[in-house]
Amino acid sequence: MTTTQAAVVESPGAAFTLRDVELDAPRQGEILVRMKAAGICHTDLTVAAGHIPFPLPGVLGHEGAGVVEETGPGVTKVKPGDHVVLTFTSCGSCASCRIGHPAYCTTWIPQNLIGGKRPDGSSPISRDGVALGGRFFGQSSFARHSIADERSVVKVDPDLPFELLAPLACSVQTGTGAVWNTLRPEPGTSIAVIGTGAVGLAAIMGAALTPVSQIIAVGRQAAQLELAAKIGATHTVDSTGLDLADELRKITGGAGVDYVVEAVGNPDVLRAGIEALAPRGAVAVVGAPPYGVEVSVDVHRLLPGRRILGVCEGDSDPDRLIPLLARLIRGGRLPVQPLIKEYDFADIQAAADDFRSGKNIKTILRFDA
């Protein structure tokens, strides 16, 4: 076993508290990773608050980056010393996994979000002999070491800083993937990205690498809208007090927007995005409101070919997309650095509080060497 330090959430609504925990030796298909950086996402905070039924006490974290220390039996994907990004896991054998869509794995919710344990019912993390909720997104990376599933581990070249690699695990691949994999905009079309957090800004970066003619960033924070303009938005809209659908139609000369990425998780915003669509347009629903939230849509709005598409993790095949994103960062074509604010792992609660309050776009925890 490996003794390490993890940020444990003891109960719903409790703070992240650093505690010594024990990790199992890696089993079949598992990898021991020494963490170097990890991103904080809204999903981590939603689970910590008790709004998603993950077993607590437990260890969260699902945007990890680090170095492989040990591999379990049967692992061929990586070896000790490799630099890796830790992303979501999947079964590898269902219909979606077999055709390259592991984000829609039939076991996605229990394996990533709510299970907290291996398929056999055991947890790789314990404290004083008592199992903790672990294996969050196949990794539980809010710890100095992680036992990760081979399916959730992606090898990357060792020449990029870990703090730039960690966001690729979720927020960056979600935003870029929503544009590239789900919407697939044609040359000369328009796209509106509603929400200028990490996912929305990643979608803008992704759109800037396509031949669209208009990229409209919609948000409410001036600094984020200014950043959106710097990374590729051709128009910015402060939606405060506006009829958003009407404003988007005005920008597009009355035609409506061809594509929308909704990265807020607000039903009124989603409805406005649908209302703003041009015929045959599509909205990618990325933002996640609380369970049970509904949106009413006039069916006649859909009859001219308009589509509403749910998106999980950018419909990404991480083994293909994450190395590509890393190459784009290396080439200066994916400007992730301006989004990032770094904190020491020991300050995780302060980092979470700042992120929750909107002070930071992408919060990254750095681990000691």
Side-chain angles (χ1 to χ4, degrees):
M1 299 183 80
T2 298
T3 298
T4 194
Q5 188 182 55
V8 178
V9 178
E10 299 289 351
S11 60
F16 292 98
T17 308
L18 298 188
R19 295 284 186 261
D20 287 340
V21 300
E22 293 79 43
L23 301 180
D24 291 347
R27 297 185 183 180
Q28 182 79 26
E30 293 182 341
I31 298 162
L32 176 65
V33 178
R34 175 166 47 90
M35 302 308 305
K36 301 293 288 184
I40 297 179
C41 264
H42 287 289
T43 303
D44 299 303
L45 303 186
T46 300
V47 173
H51 300 314
I52 294 175
F54 183 82
L56 301 176
V59 180
L60 304 175
H62 67 284
E63 280 191 337
V67 180
V68 175
E69 287 203 341
E70 184 181 349
T71 60
V75 172
T76 59
K77 195 175 185 181
V78 294
K79 64 183 184 304
D82 284 344
H83 288 206
V84 292
V85 170
L86 307 186
T87 185
F88 66 89
T89 191
S90 54
C91 74
S93 58
C94 70
S96 292
C97 287
R98 290 198 307 270
I99 62 173
H101 298 277
Y104 303 126
C105 174
T106 57
T107 67
W108 199 94
I109 290 179
Q111 284 215 52
N112 287 282
L113 199 57
I114 65 173
K117 58 180 76 73
R118 300 180 176 105
D120 67 5
S122 65
S123 173
I125 308 175
S126 61
R127 180 177 57 186
D128 299 327
V130 178
L132 300 179
R135 207 173 171 275
F136 189 59
F137 281 70
Q139 59 184 279
S140 288
S141 55
F142 287 167
R144 298 190 184 278
H145 290 81
S146 168
I147 293 290
D149 289 349
E150 185 175 21
R151 290 280 298 177
S152 70
V153 172
V154 178
K155 182 180 176 181
V156 291
D157 291 337
D159 60 344
L160 281 176
F162 289 103
E163 67 270 16
L164 298 185
L165 292 169
L168 307 187
C170 183
S171 53
V172 174
Q173 78 170 335
T174 297
T176 57
V179 176
W180 298 342
N181 298 329
T182 301
L183 295 179
R184 301 184 178 186
E186 296 91 348
T189 53
S190 59
I191 184 168
V193 178
I194 308 176
T196 50
V199 173
L201 290 172
I204 290 168
M205 294 181 207
L209 294 172
T210 71
V212 296
S213 62
Q214 291 178 307
I215 302 172
I216 307 165
V218 180
R220 292 189 172 183
Q221 295 194 31
Q224 292 181 3
L225 290 171
E226 290 174 9
L227 179 56
K230 292 178 181 177
I231 63 175
T234 60
H235 300 73
T236 60
V237 175
D238 183 340
S239 61
T240 306
L242 286 181
D243 181 326
L244 179 56
D246 185 59
E247 185 68 19
L248 293 176
R249 284 192 290 266
K250 287 179 182 177
I251 292 173
T252 55
V257 182
D258 295 302
Y259 299 101
V260 172
V261 176
E262 197 287 317
V264 178
N266 181 296
D268 294 330
V269 170
L270 174 56
R271 188 180 299 108
I274 297 168
E275 289 294 321
L277 284 178
R280 300 186 66 249
V283 55
V285 184
V286 177
Y291 283 101
V293 171
E294 297 181 353
V295 176
S296 60
V297 179
D298 184 343
V299 173
H300 286 275
R301 289 292 300 167
L302 304 181
L303 296 182
R306 297 182 177 96
R307 294 162 291 151
I308 304 169
L309 305 169
V311 183
C312 179
E313 297 286 355
D315 190 10
S316 166
D317 179 349
D319 286 323
R320 297 177 61 189
L321 184 58
I322 288 177
L324 169 61
L325 295 171
R327 290 195 295 272
L328 292 171
I329 290 174
R330 185 185 305 111
R333 300 174 66 194
L334 199 72
V336 172
Q337 180 69 66
L339 280 62
I340 292 173
K341 175 69 179 294
E342 296 181 37
Y343 291 76
D344 187 82
F345 176 56
D347 298 324
I348 182 172
Q349 186 56 47
D353 290 341
D354 287 351
F355 180 58
R356 187 183 293 108
S357 69
K359 289 184 179 180
N360 307 322
I361 298 173
K362 183 75 260 178
T363 298
I364 296 294
L365 304 170
R366 290 298 305 267
F367 297 82
D368 297 333

